[in-house]
Amino acid sequence: MMLLRTFDARMLTAQRQGKTSFYMQHLGEEAISTAFRSALLPGDMNFPTYRQAGLLIAGDYPLVDMMNQIFSNDEDPLRGRQLPIMYSSKAHGFFSISGNLGTQFVQAVGWAMASAISGDTKIASGWIGEGSTAESDFHAALVFASTYKAPVVLNIVNNQWAISTFQGIAKGGSGTFAARGHGFGIPALRVDGNDYLAVHAVAKWAAERARRNLGPTLIEYVTYRGGGHSTSDDPSAYRPKLEGEAWPLGDPVLRLKTHLIKRGLWSEERHKQSEAEILDEVVAAQKEAEAIGTLNSGNAPSPRDMFEDVYAEMPPHLVRQRQEAGY
Ligand SMILES: Cc1ncc(C[n+]2csc(CCOP(=O)(O)OP(=O)(O)O)c2C)c(N)n1
């Protein structure tokens, strides 16, 4: 959680400095993806949105690789074909992020069905924001998950806001987002998303259920989006300024820290030391990535790359277009 928060803070500043075009942070939501990650096994597959970089960070994906993508430099693992924060790593169980929200749920269910059909014990997990549950893909995914008892964990991150739209709008007449699962006969849980240990317990239970082929679980994580939707957003235009401070569930980092100190497993000194070590780690990674290049520093992937890796044999019209572009 602390690494994700520090990473976010540095990258947000980097965006303001013009080193990247775009960034999305996780402030206040760090417990969800990081605690969930520890419930998974190698080979499992997440279908994440832009708000789950914690799955990669907690899964030891190299920070430099993330930054190379964020800075759109020549070492960008995705060669400039994605938005800066739309990562992809098969090896880390992180399916390429799609900007089309809601698709993550149907794709996760389909992947899980394929895993079950092939007799595998690998599971999938789908991710969606509460606003996107109002998309028809959400409901299609629940139909298939319940009908085929797919080994999937379906996660709704309820951070109260879908850009400027309050969660009550997407919820409609439903009591909670978790309650959407009942009509489909899918076990549904609603959990304090700012409690790292609660998220971990729930994720472990649901992952185990899926792995034993007992079927899907729907989980709603109640949390609060501490920052703007993205660097293109200004939440002061649509939500009360002090709303975040009044939010009752608190800061997930502070809560875990206080809990661990009370139990004698952590201390203020160790916390400070950790903060310093984490900052050093992030700064070192940033120096390495910036030495390769940042947005507009001139060391970007070649436009030629956008023609590669799609077709085994490039069709003539693309060869022509590539030549016209001068590559
Ligand atoms: C299918 C689709 N419709 C609209 C958008 C534009 N859009 C991007 S983010 C966003 C808000 C999503 O809110 P929510 O699902 O609550 O997730 P959060 O950003 O809060 O994590 C919208 C409407 C999109 N990316 N995909």
Side-chain angles (χ1 to χ4, degrees):
M1 283 198 285
M2 290 164 74
L3 183 55
L4 177 59
R5 184 167 291 184
T6 305
F7 184 90
D8 271 351
R10 299 283 309 185
M11 294 301 100
L12 199 64
T13 304
Q15 193 275 339
R16 299 306 190 216
Q17 293 169 331
K19 293 172 183 171
T20 176
S21 54
F22 183 71
Y23 193 72
M24 296 182 88
Q25 59 170 339
H26 308 73
L27 189 62
E29 302 179 38
E30 292 92 344
I32 299 164
S33 51
T34 55
F36 188 89
R37 179 62 179 75
S38 56
L40 298 179
L41 294 179
D44 294 343
M45 184 58 76
N46 283 285
F47 289 79
T49 76
Y50 43 69
R51 204 87 67 192
Q52 279 87 46
L55 293 168
L56 283 177
I57 288 205
D60 290 331
Y61 185 75
L63 300 184
V64 179
D65 285 353
M66 293 170 83
M67 289 175 178
N68 286 336
Q69 183 174 343
I70 292 166
F71 293 148
S72 304
N73 69 28
D74 198 30
E75 295 289 322
D76 168 3
L78 302 188
R79 317 296 305 146
R81 295 159 179 153
Q82 271 277 34
L83 273 173
I85 43 79
M86 298 238 178
Y87 316 103
S88 168
S89 175
K90 189 176 182 181
H92 291 78
F94 195 92
F95 202 87
S96 305
I97 299 178
S98 170
N100 303 316
L101 298 170
T103 55
Q104 290 78 11
F105 257 41
V106 272
Q107 290 170 3
V109 172
W111 194 98
M113 286 167 62
S115 173
I117 289 166
S118 65
D120 218 320
T121 56
K122 290 175 189 145
I123 63 165
S125 68
W127 293 87
I128 201 166
E130 88 290 341
S132 306
T133 62
E135 287 280 344
S136 55
D137 276 351
F138 171 74
H139 303 272
L142 295 192
V143 170
F144 273 75
S146 65
T147 302
Y148 291 95
K149 248 177 118 183
V152 65
V153 183
L154 295 167
N155 302 289
I156 305 169
V157 180
N158 178 3
N159 66 3
Q160 312 303 313
W161 291 93
I163 313 186
S164 57
T165 305
F166 185 61
Q167 50 103 357
I169 294 183
K171 195 160 61 184
S174 178
T176 65
F177 289 97
R180 295 275 196 216
H182 296 158
F184 297 92
I186 296 179
L189 297 158
R190 192 165 190 252
V191 61
D192 176 348
N194 287 16
D195 179 341
Y196 183 94
L197 298 173
V199 173
H200 177 71
V202 150
K204 221 170 147 43
W205 183 81
E208 187 67 22
R209 246 177 68 75
R211 209 174 300 286
R212 292 186 190 189
N213 244 346
L214 297 172
T217 308
L218 184 69
I219 307 173
E220 175 187 354
Y221 304 92
V222 181
T223 185
Y224 187 80
R225 197 193 73 206
H229 172 72
S230 71
T231 49
S232 310
D233 178 44
D234 173 12
S236 71
Y238 55 82
R239 69 180 185 188
K241 227 181 180 157
L242 298 178
E243 188 188 72
E245 280 170 41
W247 181 247
L249 297 182
D251 175 345
V253 176
L254 192 62
R255 282 178 64 182
L256 185 60
K257 173 188 154 191
T258 309
H259 175 73
L260 292 175
I261 289 175
K262 269 198 189 143
R263 296 206 52 194
L265 299 165
W266 196 241
S267 66
E268 287 290 352
E269 297 69 47
R270 283 183 71 183
H271 193 80
K272 275 208 183 79
Q273 192 188 340
S274 273
E275 276 178 338
E277 284 168 9
I278 285 168
L279 184 60
D280 284 349
E281 184 184 345
V282 176
V283 168
Q286 191 172 352
K287 276 194 179 139
E288 198 180 326
E290 287 194 8
I292 299 162
T294 60
L295 183 71
N296 301 328
S297 77
N299 195 18
S302 166
R304 184 189 167 92
D305 289 343
M306 74 178 138
F307 295 93
E308 308 288 343
D309 297 336
V310 178
Y311 295 99
E313 279 177 43
M314 201 179 294
H317 72 282
L318 285 186
V319 175
R320 229 177 12 256
Q321 284 179 20
R322 194 186 69 194
Q323 283 164 353
E324 277 169 21
Y327 299 96

